[in-house]
Amino acid sequence: MLIVMDAHATAADIEAVCAVVRELGYEAHPMPGPTRTAIGITGNRGAIIEAARIRLMPAVRDVIRVTAPYKLVSREFREMNTVIEIGGVTIGGPEVVVMAGPCSVESREQLFATADAVQQAGATILRGGAFKPRTSPYSFQGLGEEGLKILAEARERTGMPVVTEVMDTETVDLVADYADILQIGARNMQNFALLKKVGRTRRPIMLKRGLSATLKDWLMSAEYIMAEGNPAVILCERGIRTFDDHSRFTFDLNAVPVLRELTHLPIIVDPSHATGRWQSVTPMARAGIAAGADGLIVEVHPNPAFAVSDGEQSLLPERFVELVQQVERIAAALDRPIAGRASLAL
Ligand code: PEP
Ligand code: MN
């Protein structure tokens, strides 16, 4: 349920409504909008809320039943886009953000070389996996805490915030100690215990779409995080399973404009995992930004043939330079500069 307050509602009017909501056993989420405040109601333990009781309170304009099963993530609840600020970079604002780095942190030398190269090319957030979800238990599983330390050193060196995956509830606190943004991987999108745990951290969460998740499944997972009190959720489309196998996954760019209507959360796209082949990464990065995504996450490796994971989809640094230059022109056509770069004169 959503309570829409009058434009002239005072802070005391809003608090009085929130108090009634809480008294009934629900949580109240006041959300100031450009013209008026709305108050979202969530919770599953309260009494039935009599809409009439609230409608009659001072400065209440309307009480609306929210039909979507997700509440806090929905555009119905919050009209304005969520903008997340991390280490001097904003995600979900007018600028397009570029995140890049290797699939896995392999060594200090490999990460530093990649970090320097992607930063020079225009990336403002560094990616790198320390805990790796691999299909085979015999594949490289990541450097673990050692990898996190190397990521933190790379942040010191470049000033770039870092994003890295957290795979289980046991390591959430450890990863949150080192990383600026916690990534929930596609294979964990419905690990509800993990979603609740990261929802209680104070780090932004990048939630990747599950391999066979509908938008509703995905948004319900985002709701789990927000319901625990963490408002900073970033959605990342990374390709889904379909019948075709010409690429690793099917990049669902149709999702971008639909998500834009359904949710206020920032939308990032990952053309590396979606396609699985470096030749497709730049074209699909261009397409993702053209579709309206707020940013990209791209795998880059100084020597892809020797990468311990995802070498086939990793761009050489010089190809990543071209990607950013091309994406910059697409973004400029939408009046969106790339974060951290002087605006492009076309
Ligand atoms: C990754 O980002 O390296 C990764 C494993 O992504 P996904 O969960 O989308 O497969
Ligand atoms: Mn990868």
Side-chain angles (χ1 to χ4, degrees):
M1 206 130 82
L2 189 67
I3 302 164
V4 182
M5 301 298 290
D6 277 337
H8 58 75
T10 63
D13 293 331
I14 294 166
E15 180 43 38
V17 173
C18 291
V20 169
V21 170
R22 287 193 296 265
E23 189 190 303
L24 289 167
Y26 290 85
E27 273 169 57
H29 308 266
M31 280 166 288
T35 51
R36 53 172 59 91
T37 292
I39 302 167
I41 303 176
T42 61
N44 56 10
R45 285 179 292 275
I48 306 270
I49 294 191
E50 277 296 336
R53 172 166 176 201
I54 292 172
R55 202 174 270 124
L56 291 172
M57 292 185 71
V60 170
R61 185 188 174 88
D62 204 0
V63 178
I64 303 168
R65 209 158 278 288
V66 175
T67 44
Y70 35 84
K71 312 287 179 201
L72 300 174
V73 306
S74 76
R75 184 70 83 182
E76 283 175 279
F77 257 45
R78 189 187 147 96
E79 204 181 325
M80 287 185 303
N81 285 343
T82 285
V83 178
I84 296 168
E85 164 98 54
I86 185 83
V89 184
T90 47
I91 306 171
E95 297 180 331
V96 163
V97 66
V98 180
M99 312 182 185
C103 179
S104 298
V105 178
E106 298 171 13
S107 67
R108 187 171 274 103
E109 297 67 40
Q110 171 248 16
L111 187 68
F112 287 3
T114 315
D116 292 349
V118 299
Q119 184 172 41
Q120 258 199 332
T124 43
I125 296 182
L126 178 65
R127 68 147 287 147
F131 292 96
K132 296 301 302 175
R134 305 305 302 279
T135 301
S136 164
Y138 308 117
S139 301
F140 176 69
Q141 303 285 308
L143 294 182
E145 187 169 2
E146 180 57 26
L148 296 175
K149 287 185 177 155
I150 298 174
L151 279 166
E153 285 178 41
R155 172 180 50 220
E156 285 294 305
R157 180 187 170 96
T158 60
M160 281 192 283
V162 300
V163 52
T164 196
E165 178 159 355
V166 57
M167 280 177 46
D168 47 44
T169 50
E170 292 78 29
T171 47
V172 167
D173 294 335
L174 175 73
V175 178
D177 275 348
Y178 290 97
D180 300 283
I181 302 174
L182 306 182
Q183 172 173 320
I184 301 295
R187 291 156 190 83
N188 260 325
M189 189 205 81
Q190 285 190 316
N191 180 339
F192 300 117
L194 182 58
L195 298 176
K196 286 183 185 175
K197 182 96 198 240
V198 298
R200 293 193 289 270
T201 68
R202 302 178 77 83
R203 296 269 179 261
I205 309 301
M206 187 167 77
L207 178 65
K208 298 191 102 181
R209 183 178 182 180
L211 308 188
S212 301
T214 63
L215 297 193
K216 184 175 149 194
D217 296 335
W218 189 10
L219 291 171
M220 291 307 293
S221 291
E223 185 81 13
Y224 264 91
I225 300 170
M226 287 192 74
E228 292 295 327
N230 188 341
V233 181
I234 303 157
L235 300 170
C236 177
E237 160 62 36
R238 48 79 70 214
I240 51 173
R241 283 237 196 275
T242 62
F243 58 85
D244 211 338
D245 60 0
H246 66 78
S247 58
R248 191 174 174 194
F249 293 94
T250 297
F251 200 11
D252 184 14
L253 290 183
N254 273 325
V256 176
V258 178
L259 285 172
R260 193 60 85 198
E261 288 173 28
L262 298 177
T263 180
H264 51 81
L265 296 174
I267 307 161
I268 298 293
V269 295
D270 175 348
S272 305
H273 291 89
T275 65
R277 49 194 303 273
W278 70 263
Q279 296 90 335
S280 296
V281 171
T282 297
M284 297 317 290
R286 295 195 304 256
I289 295 308
D294 295 305
L296 298 168
I297 183 160
V298 177
E299 288 186 342
V300 177
H301 196 286
N303 197 347
F306 289 88
V308 298
S309 59
D310 289 349
E312 304 86 343
Q313 68 199 33
S314 296
L315 290 182
L316 280 163
E318 55 267 34
R319 293 204 167 103
F320 179 68
V321 170
E322 261 174 35
L323 176 149
V324 177
Q325 286 169 349
Q326 294 181 8
V327 164
E328 188 171 31
R329 299 180 67 192
I330 302 278
L334 300 169
D335 294 325
R336 300 186 77 172
I338 302 260
R341 281 162 78 88
S343 65
L344 179 73
L346 278 178

